Amino acid sequence: MSALEEEYRLEYFETEGFVRKECPSCGAHFWTRDHDRETCGEPPCEEYDFIDNPGFDEAYNLTEMREAFLSFFESHDHERIDPYPVAANRWRDDVLLTQASIYDFQPLVTSGETPPPANPLTVSQPCIRMQDIDNVGKTGRHTMAFEMMAHHAFNAREDLDDPDQYAYQGEVYWKDHTVELCDEFFDSMGVDLEEVIYIEDPWVGGGNAGPAIEVIYRGVELATLVFMCMEQDPDGEFEMKDGNRYSYMDTYIVDTGYGLERWTWVSQGTPTVYEAVYPDMIEFLKDNAGIDHSDDEEALIHRAAKLAGHMDIDEAEDMETARGDIAAELDVDAGELEDLMEPLEDIYAIADHSRTLAYMLGDGIVPSNVGTGYLARMVLRRTKRLCDTVGVDAPLDELVDMQAERLEYENRDTIRDIVRTEVEKYRETLERGGRRVESLAEEYAKKGEPIPTEELIELYDSHGIQPDMVEEIADESGAEVAVPDDFYSLVAKRHDTPETVEEAADEEDERFADLPETERLYYDDQQRTQFEAVVLDVFEREDGYDVVLDQTMFYPEGGGQPADNGTLSTDDATVDVRDVQIEDGVILHRTDEKLGKGEFVNGQLDAGRRRQLMRHHTATHIIIHSAREVLGEHVRQAGAQKGVDSSRIDLRHYDRISRDDVKEIERVANELVMDNTSVSQEWPDRHDAESEHGFDLYQGGIPPGEQIRLIHVADDVQACGGTHVARTGDIGAIKILTTERVQDGVERITFAAGEAALEATQANEDALYEAAETLDVSPEDVPETAARFFREWKDRGKQIDDLTEQLAAARAGGGGGGDEFDIGDRTAVVDRLDTDVDELRATANAIAEEGSIAVLGSGESGAQFVVAVPDDVAVNAGEVVGELAAKVGGGGGGPPDFAQGGGPNVEDLDAALEDAPDVLRQVLDA
């Protein structure tokens, strides 16, 4: 019995003649108008029954189906809204990618803190689900990138004592009307409603829960209706499938999802969703890879497509068994079926992954080693490997561009540039990583153990080595590899968390609970540095006091901007304000001495510090705006820290910032400064701001609240809580000091503004003039002179190396006076040369090239040994050095043909060299 059986007993089901049944195959409960139906209708309980038999009035493409859905719900009193980006971390900091339409409204709308953009509303939201990556191509229905057509209604209980505590009130509609709308949309498509099945499937996620319904038509799930109405509660009435208990909450939300791609697929009745969604690209890829099927093969592929639902990794025992079961049902050899289907499955995956990359890169995700950037890189590298495996030789940037064009992205040139850059990085990574795989394969071959899954994931994470490539290399070493069917899902799970996760907040300090929020005067007049206030309370700290005022001009630390400093004065005392923090709207002035509760104070900011912080904060906005102008609209802020002497901003960008880029960014930034444009602020409604300016508003983070503060600097608009100059001319000047790569895909620009820019420029000039004085040339001649000196220095170095080799050759030829000994059928030269280790190595190599074993020692810097052995001599140089180095109190080693080592006891060096012949013979005999 369902945990929420009563929640599913809808009046609509009763009046429409539905009957509740239990599936004998899987045990699921479902509602159907067909009283003779036995199973739930979903694979693996049934096969796809719509292929060649869609049951819709007409076939739709993606655009037509999307419009049909949105128009239907508009005609049923829903407001259509624009979709959000696929990068959910653009407007929320707890997830990376948009996986469902409800992500657009979490957590602010779903919690009731802010109202939705419309209520009820409808949207077709692009989504990416990395957990489906291993199913793509195999099941015929899974796509990693998809559009979730949806309608939502946000409700609040009508019996609340304080209905204004939530941003929306009352009920819009609930379960019955949601199912009725679903039925009516099916009916508008010409579907026989007796074939529509509603499966009970309670939903749990993110601390919330509620009844949910999967909507099945002819063997495929076409919609999910979620009724979010519960929250986790240890004393709750309902125990859900996650083992936790839940109780009803004050708000309740209709959260539906209708997969655009699946509806389009079912309307056409094609063998797989991929032919319906990417028909032109599938044909292009098959032709490019040289895949051509006979009539008999086409017929077998068609029959297999109806059973492809059994290939679901989440449901099947394993892919080999699932493939075998399908082959048995089709009465064909499993190997023959696999050979026929795998290339096609790769083609399907390439088409889907290319679309996923178009969404990711089109929405400004930059490949990197963390967060959304890592996920984009993982998809890109997997797609490239699939292309190589199946024989698609079209450039990957061309394939991604095909999808970007269909999706009507305007930044297609940037997308292609990113893909080309990433493909080249991948090639370089593979060259480095192959050696690591060989070493690992040899290690596990010796152990007689298969290479573990964790090692495979680490090889992929660190070196980008795909598991099938590991299999190939390992096979040559005799090592076994067992690649899990859900390998890429496991990799994605490792990284499916935000790049920056806020530390869990400390428990709320009850001392501040009864205090009102501090009035923030710094938003009224950012240029003002003096104010009067009343001390509301004072709290003792280990290293001073926290003073709470009724109002303040002191800016608390936040958004990468340091706190203001200054003083608080009464008639009797003046205390220094060393730091300012904010907690739950209460601003804490951290002082070295105590003030009296209820006293009037005069606050005075350190005006010079505030002025420089304002310059640097406004300059930060200008720098990122200029970087986007120069480098491209994909550039987004990854972090920032303002300071008095300099500031830095981290930008997401796929390439290094060149010197020419720096000069152009600096030029654009200073043009804005010289234009002396006004810097203004406004407090619009959040949804209005997002609608007008998009999610690039949130470069510096995502502010809470129904109204948000926007800072306008010329064409640049950002949500920001910091302090700013009144006009760009107040900055004075902006000087970029350095650029560096802080991690792959993230570039850091350090810059100075105002007085700090002048000081930084003068410091650079001082360094230039000092260098000119040292070189005895004019400042403008320093670069040429330095280049000439460097060339001469390199030439002298080469001359020294040549002389060293000549000396080594002379010594090897007998001029060094070393002792010679017979070791087996070879001669060994043992000698002490008190010279540096470079010359020691060169001499040893020269002796070995002459066919003799070299054992050389030096006492120049401790006791040092170098041993070189010709290729065809069975003496291990590493073992010899280890024995000799031990005699001088040290150690060493290396490969069999060349090794070095030593120790601190120079006085034992000669004795060790005297023992060298015996050591050589012992190692040879061993």
Side-chain angles (χ1 to χ4, degrees), residues 145-426:
F146 64 97
E147 279 189 45
M148 180 178 282
M149 304 185 298
H151 64 97
H152 296 277
F154 302 88
N155 309 291
R157 281 172 41 203
E158 297 179 346
D159 59 350
L160 299 174
D161 293 333
D162 179 18
D164 292 335
Q165 66 184 292
Y166 299 111
Y168 41 87
Q169 291 83 36
E171 181 174 297
V172 180
Y173 62 80
W174 193 224
K175 293 177 293 185
D176 282 273
H177 190 53
T178 302
V179 175
E180 182 181 9
L181 286 168
C182 185
D183 255 1
E184 289 183 14
F185 183 62
F186 269 106
D187 188 56
S188 73
M189 295 284 108
V191 167
D192 179 357
L193 294 183
E194 281 216 354
E195 296 187 70
V196 180
I197 305 161
Y198 293 87
I199 300 176
E200 299 177 9
D201 184 27
W203 170 84
V204 172
N208 293 114
I213 294 171
E214 291 181 354
V215 188
I216 311 298
Y217 173 71
R218 294 193 176 179
V220 67
E221 180 186 344
L222 286 183
T224 303
L225 316 176
V226 175
F227 304 101
M228 187 192 303
C229 59
M230 299 177 182
E231 60 189 352
Q232 202 166 313
D233 177 0
D235 300 320
E237 177 183 354
F238 300 99
E239 181 176 343
M240 304 297 280
K241 56 188 175 184
D242 65 346
N244 294 311
R245 303 197 73 82
Y246 290 80
S247 59
Y248 290 111
M249 55 189 188
D250 292 343
T251 58
Y252 50 106
I253 297 163
V254 173
D255 170 23
T256 69
Y258 294 64
L260 170 62
E261 290 74 14
R262 290 193 186 178
W263 280 83
T264 302
W265 175 30
V266 172
S267 81
Q268 295 182 25
T270 55
T272 73
V273 70
Y274 315 110
E275 283 97 353
V277 177
Y278 321 116
D280 297 337
M281 191 167 193
I282 296 298
E283 284 306 310
F284 172 86
L285 291 169
K286 286 167 65 175
D287 181 63
N288 186 273
I291 296 176
D292 191 23
H293 298 119
S294 67
D295 291 344
D296 288 344
E297 287 173 332
E298 285 287 0
L300 179 57
I301 290 169
H302 210 75
R303 290 165 58 208
K306 296 186 177 184
L307 301 171
H310 296 278
M311 293 289 288
D312 190 333
I313 285 171
D314 298 325
E315 304 290 341
E317 181 181 341
D318 59 69
M319 288 298 95
E320 187 177 352
T321 301
R323 182 91 71 190
D325 291 344
I326 294 173
E329 191 159 339
L330 297 173
D331 194 26
V332 297
D333 178 73
E336 177 189 341
L337 183 64
E338 184 171 9
D339 291 342
L340 185 64
M341 296 303 299
E342 277 200 343
L344 262 184
E345 290 166 358
D346 288 348
I347 291 292
Y348 296 151
I350 291 167
D352 171 81
H353 292 6
S354 297
R355 184 186 187 211
T356 301
L357 286 168
Y359 272 127
M360 286 178 149
L361 305 181
D363 275 353
I365 294 175
V366 175
S368 69
N369 288 330
V370 294
T372 53
Y374 179 89
L375 298 177
R377 175 168 288 168
M378 184 182 82
V379 176
L380 189 148
R381 291 182 172 182
R382 183 173 196 249
T383 310
K384 179 68 176 107
R385 181 63 175 167
L386 287 170
C387 288
D388 294 343
T389 300
V390 80
V392 171
D393 60 7
L396 184 55
D397 62 288
E398 180 182 330
L399 303 182
V400 176
D401 185 59
M402 287 182 188
Q403 297 287 16
E405 182 179 16
R406 289 178 67 248
L407 296 171
E408 299 181 347
Y409 279 112
E410 296 179 357
N411 58 338
R412 287 168 54 201
D413 288 343
T414 299
I415 292 172
R416 294 193 73 156
D417 198 19
I418 290 174
V419 175
R420 284 192 291 263
T421 301
E422 279 296 306
V423 168
E424 184 56 36
K425 286 181 181 177
Y426 183 37

Side-chain angles (χ1 to χ4, degrees), residues 78-81 105 116-123 150-154 173:
H78 290 67
E79 183 174 330
R80 182 191 304 209
I81 68 166
F105 315 111
N119 196 13
L121 60 82
T122 185
V123 65
H151 64 97
H152 296 277
F154 302 88
Y173 62 80

